[in-house]
Amino acid sequence: MVDSSFFKKILLVAAVVFLYSCDKDYNVIGDDLIGDNNFDFSTYNSDVAAFNQKITAVQTNNQAINGLGIYDDPAFGSTTANFVTQVFLGSYAPTIGDAPVVESVVLTIPYSSHVTKVNQDGSSEYALDSIAGPAEGKLKLSVYESGYYLRNLDPESSFQNQIYYSDQKTDIVAALKSTTLLNNSENKNENEEFFFNKAQIVTKTKDPDTEKETTKYTAPQMVLNLNKDFFQEKILNATASNLSSADAFTNYFRGIYFGVEKSGSNASNLAMLDFTKGKITIKYKAKTASTTDEDTVKEDKSIEINFSPTLPQRANTISLIEETSATANYTAATTTPNKVEGDDKLYLKGGVGAMSVISLFSKPGELEEIRSKSWLINEANLTFHIDEDQMKNSKEPSRIYLYDLNNNREIVDFFSAEIYDGGIAKDATTKRGTTYKIRITDHIRNLVKNADSTNVKLGLVVSQSASVLGFAKLRTPNEVSNQVPRTSVSNPLGTVLYGGTAAVPVEKRLKLQIFYTKPN
């Protein structure tokens, strides 16, 4: 009988020899290809012309995130952000009850925050995100009833969606229902000396039957105690028809206006908020319809007023942005840009701010010469160096955004976010920004490969988030466009970058860097 293990050993040895032979052949084939040196790997640097362009009044209605506060930026000047929003009942045609009396009215809006420490008692410590300016900054915050009707459609533009602009504060303030302050608490931290409080909200409740106490922890949020007399009259004593439907209510109670000013000599700051998560909770006591005994204890009830309606409705809002005390450098750069040779410094600022216009292959005949050489483009990128001296005391935007300015659309590389990038690079020691890099490989490949493709001008702005797409209209079109990316509108920050002129040191100069393979 033949031992089967002998054949197994023979097969194993044969397999090893075969695989070794294949591996050896593979390596030899690869060596032959590399040895032939059929390709030349090289780098090409192209000069870039870029100049500044001012952004004036811009469409700011219905943004996902809105600023509130005052940010004094040493590199740019002051930005003030006020806000107005429609409000909606949590449920319409509510049964309020007999003889209702307001107990409390509280407005809450969550802050963007993250946990920094969890304590042994179960509580947490937080840091606030999206705050521009000193953490201890204070504001004079005034909340009023808005009388300005924020409509959905514009009858003057064939009933297209209504557009509202950043410079309409005068219209809003002129239409305020009254000067009755809604956040009229005796606690000055809710009005005269308001600040964005990072403390966790701790609420303790006791069961009346068991006497057991329950503790609830809530992440940091704006908490304002509002005028009880106003909401007694406006909501609890309202005619039923005014609370019967969304249309009736938004016409009756047209909205809430948040206005900010300096709080004495205190430093100020600005926060980016998701107002759609805000609400007003009215707690009150009322008798049920069947109660006749005047001595009967009233029932505890509540009504919610939300800043975001039930779908498919949408809340109409306006971010009201003002620039004041602009710095001399920022003013000069955006007032008299060099549109031929480009500017030494590029000023980017969100909202009512500034952008840059970028021209690639600005030398006559440069692009045509590259096309004639049949290069294979491996990678192409633009690296923007930050003017660290000008930005040393300013909060830096985490991202910038490059787009097709001719056609107001994304460039093809944008849809590969991990490649496109645009994020800030920071020094490991100082934690300050040094550069922004944007890869535009596919954009350059298309230009080089397709002789009929257009070398469009590119726009550069600060970015709030890569997920914010679309464009916002300018009230008055400028020389380069009639709109700007929405992602820039909602960001109050700015940055100063070096341009591509001969006056800029070579190591800081803006250039287009192309890595290519040239067939021999």
Side-chain angles (χ1 to χ4, degrees):
M1 187 172 181
V2 179
D3 186 354
S4 63
S5 65
F6 172 77
F7 288 102
K8 290 180 179 178
K9 291 176 181 177
I10 294 296
L11 288 173
L12 179 59
V13 172
V16 171
V17 171
F18 175 74
L19 291 174
Y20 173 77
S21 300
C22 290
D23 183 59
K24 183 177 180 182
D25 289 343
Y26 174 78
N27 286 333
V28 171
I29 292 171
D31 286 343
D32 288 343
L33 283 174
I34 295 173
D36 285 346
N37 194 25
N38 293 318
F39 297 89
D40 182 16
F41 298 93
S42 303
T43 303
Y44 177 79
N45 291 316
S46 174
D47 292 339
V48 178
F51 65 85
N52 294 293
Q53 175 63 57
K54 190 75 180 79
I55 298 172
T56 53
V58 62
Q59 177 186 357
T60 55
N61 57 305
N62 305 338
Q63 298 180 130
I65 302 294
N66 294 273
L68 181 69
I70 302 171
Y71 175 43
D72 296 318
D73 188 333
F76 290 88
S78 294
T79 295
T80 300
N82 300 298
F83 183 74
V84 63
T85 180
Q86 287 181 312
V87 291
F88 307 85
L89 279 180
S91 60
Y92 293 97
T95 301
I96 292 176
D98 292 341
V101 177
V102 169
E103 294 285 303
S104 66
V105 185
V106 180
L107 181 154
T108 57
I109 303 172
Y111 297 144
S112 176
S113 62
H114 65 274
V115 175
T116 59
K117 180 182 178 182
V118 178
N119 300 316
Q120 291 184 347
D121 63 357
S123 64
S124 298
E125 297 178 20
Y126 285 80
L128 299 186
D129 305 321
S130 302
I131 299 286
E136 68 278 6
K138 292 186 177 182
L139 299 161
K140 179 182 178 181
L141 174 63
S142 303
V143 181
Y144 296 103
E145 177 190 9
S146 173
Y148 194 93
Y149 185 69
L150 298 174
R151 59 195 179 198
N152 294 329
L153 304 176
D154 183 4
E156 297 182 3
S157 64
S158 301
F159 293 95
Q160 299 295 311
N161 288 336
Q162 179 69 53
I163 294 175
Y164 295 104
Y165 294 94
S166 57
D167 63 347
Q168 291 191 243
K169 177 186 172 183
T170 301
D171 299 333
I172 302 301
V173 172
L176 292 178
K177 281 284 190 177
S178 72
T179 56
T180 300
L181 190 68
L182 298 188
N183 57 326
N184 65 338
S185 171
E186 293 182 359
N187 182 355
K188 290 186 177 182
N189 290 340
E190 297 185 26
N191 39 61
E192 295 286 336
E193 298 177 2
F194 172 82
F195 68 101
F196 298 105
N197 193 342
K198 67 177 182 178
Q200 185 179 53
I201 308 296
V202 181
T203 307
K204 295 183 181 293
T205 56
K206 184 178 290 187
D207 188 301
D209 298 323
T210 65
E211 295 294 313
K212 182 179 179 180
E213 188 175 74
T214 303
T215 302
K216 178 184 177 182
Y217 297 109
T218 306
Q221 59 181 348
M222 178 188 295
V223 180
L224 303 178
N225 290 279
L226 301 186
N227 190 315
K228 293 191 290 186
D229 292 339
F230 171 85
F231 284 92
Q232 174 76 46
E233 186 64 29
K234 191 72 180 181
I235 303 299
L236 299 189
N237 297 348
T239 303
S241 60
N242 288 327
L243 311 182
S244 62
S245 67
D247 288 342
F249 186 73
T250 53
N251 185 51
Y252 169 65
F253 192 174
R254 295 188 170 184
I256 295 288
Y257 170 71
F258 295 80
V260 294
E261 303 171 66
K262 288 282 189 178
S263 175
S265 59
N266 293 303
S268 57
N269 56 14
L270 184 152
M272 301 303 296
L273 303 175
D274 183 353
F275 281 91
T276 65
K277 295 179 180 177
K279 65 180 180 180
I280 297 171
T281 303
I282 305 170
K283 292 185 177 181
Y284 67 100
K285 290 184 180 293
K287 295 187 291 185
T288 62
S290 60
T291 301
T292 57
D293 187 351
E294 291 295 333
D295 296 327
T296 300
V297 176
K298 293 182 176 181
E299 179 184 357
D300 289 323
K301 305 189 73 174
S302 66
I303 289 178
E304 277 194 359
I305 299 175
N306 299 321
F307 291 2
S308 180
T310 303
L311 294 175
Q313 279 185 289
R314 62 183 174 88
N316 288 312
T317 66
I318 315 175
S319 183
L320 304 162
I321 308 170
E322 300 173 279
E323 273 192 336
T324 56
S325 306
T327 64
N329 288 339
Y330 173 44
T331 300
T334 53
T335 302
T336 57
N338 188 333
K339 297 184 178 182
V340 178
E341 297 176 353
D343 290 321
D344 300 340
K345 301 287 179 67
L346 305 178
Y347 286 75
L348 307 184
K349 184 176 178 296
V352 178
M355 60 176 289
S356 290
V357 180
I358 295 176
S359 298
L360 304 180
F361 304 115
S362 54
K363 292 180 181 178
E366 182 182 17
L367 179 56
E368 290 72 17
E369 182 180 354
I370 293 174
R371 284 170 173 167
S372 70
K373 294 179 179 180
S374 301
W375 288 353
L376 300 177
I377 308 300
N378 301 316
E379 181 181 334
N381 55 64
L382 289 167
T383 299
F384 299 87
H385 293 267
I386 298 170
D387 185 334
E388 297 176 49
D389 287 337
Q390 287 205 54
M391 290 300 298
K392 63 184 177 182
N393 296 316
S394 298
K395 183 177 176 65
E396 298 167 302
S398 60
R399 185 172 296 277
I400 60 175
Y401 173 70
L402 186 76
Y403 66 101
D404 176 347
L405 180 59
N406 283 29
N407 301 291
N408 286 317
R409 65 187 182 194
E410 301 82 6
I411 61 173
V412 63
D413 297 85
F414 174 78
F415 298 101
S416 297
E418 70 282 0
I419 298 174
Y420 175 82
D421 198 8
I424 192 170
K426 294 186 177 182
D427 182 273
T429 302
T430 65
K431 309 300 182 184
R432 299 295 302 174
T434 55
T435 59
Y436 297 91
K437 178 185 283 189
I438 299 179
R439 292 181 176 87
I440 55 173
T441 306
D442 286 335
H443 179 75
I444 298 301
R445 279 176 183 159
N446 289 341
L447 278 178
V448 173
K449 182 179 178 181
N450 303 313
D452 60 347
S453 58
T454 303
N455 183 19
V456 298
K457 291 187 182 299
L458 302 174
L460 185 71
V461 295
V462 299
S463 173
Q464 176 67 27
S465 168
S467 64
V468 178
L469 302 177
F471 288 78
K473 291 186 177 296
L474 298 175
R475 182 186 279 277
T476 303
N478 57 42
E479 295 181 24
V480 300
S481 185
N482 63 352
Q483 52 191 309
V484 294
R486 281 187 177 274
T487 190
S488 171
V489 174
S490 55
N491 193 331
L493 304 180
T495 186
V496 184
L497 310 173
Y498 285 98
T501 67
V504 177
V506 173
E507 68 276 11
K508 299 289 187 181
R509 193 177 302 167
L510 170 61
K511 283 186 179 295
L512 168 64
Q513 191 171 41
I514 301 174
F515 300 91
Y516 66 94
T517 303
K518 182 176 68 174
N520 288 331

